[in-house]
């Protein structure tokens, strides 16, 4: 990931002749999607996002789902509440987790079952504080339901 | 050979001898001292549900007599709390070893409109082949949720919906008395410790 990052930034910098610091950077780490069983039309995608300027995650799209939404889960007195949100704030330099305990990406209307070993393409649309939008491409590996939080693989890519 | 078999043999023997003796295995449903979970021994909850399993068979609480049922309400399109709770239940079973064989995990869907028996069966079995899923009509679902004091509601999400619901796991002892409420915030190890307390009762 780091190698990929530096290389693409370097190439980009050389190409455009701009300084690295002037570029908007959003890093996506540890993205994964939960596998599904036959007939199950939805799944969740999880990741960690770090933006270098105050930004927000506006939307996510994926070719494997007809509708992709961002939902927030909250727990009060053991009652789990769920619902769609318009965006997720990404404060500068702060890593925001999209995990089963909070925000997550809902892949709805799946085109087929998501199996272990699949890589699910996700496109994140992120807007910075100046209103500039960028798209970040992520390839999220599918993981079984029962295993989570214990992987340190990094399959994310820079935009 | 081991505690588990012994306990089962004792239990079977007692069942043969009748309820009088069974009651003697602890005496009553007096409060239990749990380390992490909530004691529900004095609650009259979840006793009369009648739902259908994924094979189409009607099940009631007494269908699981002799086992330690752990009931969780959820829906298969649930992205977070349901898979986490079922994965935790599978882990609890492993931690408990032989004793874990008496733990009967029961997943009751709050979304019977979308959760078909086929999807439910495949869904729970991927966590552990011993897990069962129960499903009712909309009315039966309302009834069972009310019986357990479980909240659930549909939340509009684009053209479809997601759901909010109570995420407590409810544990009965082997005689069908409700005993323990496990919060989703507890670890598998903490749950296993409290479940051992339930097993010691009967």
């Amino acid at each position: 990931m780091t190698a990929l990052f530096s290389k693409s930034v370097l190439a980009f910098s050389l190409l455009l002749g701009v300084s690295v610091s002037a570029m908007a950077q959003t890093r996506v780490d540890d993205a994964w999607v939960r596998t599904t069983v036959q007939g199950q039309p939805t799944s969740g995608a999880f990741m960690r996002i770090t933006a270098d300027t105050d930004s927000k995650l506006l939307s996510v799209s994926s070719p494997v789902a007809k509708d992709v939404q961002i939902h927030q889960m909250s727990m009060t007195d053991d009652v789990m509440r769920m619902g769609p949100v318009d965006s997720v704030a990404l404060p500068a330099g702060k890593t925001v987790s999209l995990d089963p305990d909070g925000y997550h990406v809902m892949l709805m209307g799946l085109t087929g079952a998501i199996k272990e070993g699949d890589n699910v393409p996700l496109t994140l649309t992120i807007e910075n504080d100046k209103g500039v939008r960028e798209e970040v491409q992520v390839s999220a590996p599918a993981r079984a339901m029962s295993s989570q939080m214990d992987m340190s693989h990094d399959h994310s890519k820079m935009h | 050979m081991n505690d588990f078999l012994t306990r089962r043999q004792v239990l079977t023997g007692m069942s043969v001898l009748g309820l009088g003796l069974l009651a003697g295995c602890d005496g009553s449903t007096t409060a239990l001292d749990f380390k992490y979970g909530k004691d529900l021994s004095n609650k009259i909850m979840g006793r009369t549900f009648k739902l259908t399993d994924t094979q189409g068979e009607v099940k009631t609480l007494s269908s699981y007599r002799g086992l330690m049922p752990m009931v969780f309400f959820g829906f298969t399109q649930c992205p977070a709390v349901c898979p986490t709770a079922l994965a935790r239940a599978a882990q609890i079973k492993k931690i408990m070893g032989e004793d874990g064989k008496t733990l009967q995990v029961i997943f009751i869907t709050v979304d019977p409109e979308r959760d078909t028996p086929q999807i439910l069966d495949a869904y729970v079995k991927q966590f552990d082949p011993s897990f069962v899923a129960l499903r009712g009509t909309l009315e039966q679902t309302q009834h069972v949720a009310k019986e357990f004091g479980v909240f659930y509601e549909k939340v509009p999400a684009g053209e479809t919906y997601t759901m909010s619901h109570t995420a407590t796991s409810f544990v009965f002892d082997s005689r069908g008395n409700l005993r323990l409420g496990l919060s989703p915030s507890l670890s598998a190890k903490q749950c296993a410790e409290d479940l051992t307390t339930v097993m010691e009762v009967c």
Side-chain angles (χ1 to χ4, degrees):
Chain A
M1 149 82 193
T2 318
L4 201 131
F5 165 77
S6 342
K7 219 191 275 174
S8 63
V9 166
L10 189 68
F12 216 68
S13 314
L14 290 173
L15 207 69
L16 298 178
V18 293
S19 73
V20 171
S21 60
M23 288 170 56
Q25 300 289 339
T26 303
R27 231 182 58 206
V28 177
D29 295 305
D30 299 335
W32 65 282
V33 171
R34 211 187 286 279
T35 55
T36 62
V37 295
Q38 202 60 46
Q40 197 185 340
T42 62
S43 186
F46 309 91
M47 65 198 79
R48 288 186 290 122
I49 308 174
T50 316
D52 72 344
T53 56
D54 286 338
S55 307
K56 51 189 176 180
L57 172 64
L58 293 180
S59 63
V60 180
S61 65
S62 174
V64 306
K66 286 196 203 85
D67 186 19
V68 183
Q69 301 179 6
I70 305 165
H71 285 190
Q72 187 180 23
M73 189 273 265
S74 64
M75 193 80 80
T76 317
D77 295 333
D78 289 357
V79 172
M80 180 279 293
R81 286 185 187 271
M82 188 78 81
V85 292
D86 291 333
S87 63
V88 176
L90 305 170
K94 190 173 175 267
T95 299
V96 175
S97 276
L98 271 60
D99 59 35
D101 291 327
Y103 291 110
H104 51 269
V105 175
M106 282 299 289
L107 304 168
M108 307 169 98
L110 293 174
T111 52
I114 297 174
K115 295 180 293 294
E116 183 98 49
D118 285 359
N119 278 298
V120 179
L122 302 170
T123 303
L124 280 58
T125 302
I126 291 162
E127 187 180 86
N128 70 12
D129 52 354
K130 292 177 188 67
V132 178
R133 290 185 183 187
E134 63 167 334
E135 288 197 340
V136 181
Q137 310 291 337
V138 178
S139 176
R143 271 194 236 158
M145 300 240 176
S146 40
S147 62
Q148 50 185 264
M149 306 307 206
D150 54 353
M151 308 270 290
S152 51
H153 293 247
D154 195 344
H155 297 264
S156 57
K157 291 182 175 64
M158 299 305 298
H159 83 123
Chain B
M1 183 175 92
N2 54 46
D3 287 351
F4 170 70
L5 269 183
T6 314
R7 191 172 289 128
R8 287 302 297 268
Q9 281 159 357
V10 168
L11 198 69
T12 311
M14 284 181 145
S15 307
V16 172
L17 289 174
L19 280 168
L21 261 181
L22 253 186
C25 84
D26 178 46
S28 64
T29 55
T30 44
L32 294 177
D33 193 15
F34 292 115
K35 236 166 137 181
Y36 307 100
K38 204 171 174 182
D39 177 54
L40 300 175
S41 297
N42 59 350
K43 301 267 188 209
I44 310 291
M45 283 158 74
R47 290 199 173 170
T48 64
F49 70 81
K50 207 179 209 181
L51 298 164
T52 311
D53 72 8
T54 54
Q55 311 304 314
E57 271 180 56
V58 174
K59 296 284 178 184
T60 64
L61 184 58
S62 62
S63 310
Y64 305 102
R65 192 165 284 263
L67 297 169
M68 179 167 60
M70 180 159 80
V71 176
F72 182 81
F73 289 79
F75 64 116
T76 66
Q77 295 192 38
C78 170
V81 69
C82 307
T84 304
L86 290 172
R88 182 184 71 176
Q91 218 184 326
I92 293 168
K93 258 182 98 88
K94 274 193 202 122
I95 293 172
M96 293 178 75
E98 277 297 313
D99 282 348
K101 288 186 179 170
T102 55
L103 182 67
Q104 177 61 64
V105 175
I106 301 171
F107 183 82
I108 299 179
T109 178
V110 293
D111 191 12
E113 289 164 275
R114 297 190 297 194
D115 285 345
T116 63
Q118 292 75 24
I119 294 175
L120 277 170
D121 196 58
Y123 183 78
V124 297
K125 298 256 183 307
Q126 68 184 332
F127 296 97
D128 189 288
S130 76
F131 289 5
V132 297
L134 299 181
R135 180 173 174 270
T137 60
L138 286 174
E139 293 72 34
Q140 286 172 323
T141 306
Q142 265 172 23
H143 175 79
V144 67
K146 201 175 161 200
E147 239 195 311
F148 277 90
V150 161
F151 161 86
Y152 70 101
E153 74 176 1
K154 285 185 184 176
V155 179
E159 286 172 9
T160 176
Y161 63 90
T162 183
M163 297 192 84
S164 297
H165 62 89
T166 300
T168 307
S169 298
F170 299 92
V171 183
F172 293 83
D173 67 23
S174 59
R175 288 178 299 162
N177 297 310
L178 185 63
R179 288 297 189 174
L180 168 67
L182 293 168
S183 159
S185 61
L186 298 175
S187 72
K189 208 165 158 263
Q190 291 170 328
C191 293
E193 257 187 73
D194 277 355
L195 289 168
T196 306
T197 307
V198 174
M199 289 193 76
E200 281 162 5
V201 176
C202 190

